[in-house]
Amino acid sequence: LTPGLRPPGVAYDRELRVRVLACEGGAGGGINFRAVWDLATAGARPESIARGDFRATHLTWDGASEAMLVAKLSEAVAGLAAEISTALAKR
């Protein structure tokens, strides 16, 4: 949560928390991206509605091009967003 990003007086019924645990490329060409997320009700007694543990296991890079690494990490973030979106559509 980042204070100040929400307009004052706006009430939300859901809260999404995302925690990135790993986001790096290895010298051998592997990419390690892992994030856990939790969607919960908002308020004084939040209850979890959905959660996930996303790992991008299929991505590799050439170990040299930083532009390629950034592109692959962006693919990982897109995969995370797709997983969350799919879970939310089922709710």
Side-chain angles (χ1 to χ4, degrees), residues 12-82:
Y12 296 91
D13 60 349
R14 303 281 188 265
E15 197 168 273
L16 176 65
R17 294 183 184 114
V18 177
R19 184 173 182 192
V20 177
L21 304 174
C23 183
E24 59 192 358
I31 291 179
N32 185 16
F33 183 89
R34 180 179 176 205
V36 292
W37 60 272
D38 181 65
L39 177 69
T41 58
R45 301 178 132 228
E47 293 182 27
S48 184
I49 298 168
R51 62 178 46 154
D53 185 344
F54 178 81
R55 298 169 195 245
T57 58
H58 62 284
L59 300 175
T60 60
W61 71 305
D62 64 7
S65 171
E66 291 176 354
M68 180 183 217
L69 174 59
V70 170
K72 295 298 182 173
L73 290 173
S74 292
E75 283 182 43
V77 172
L80 170 63

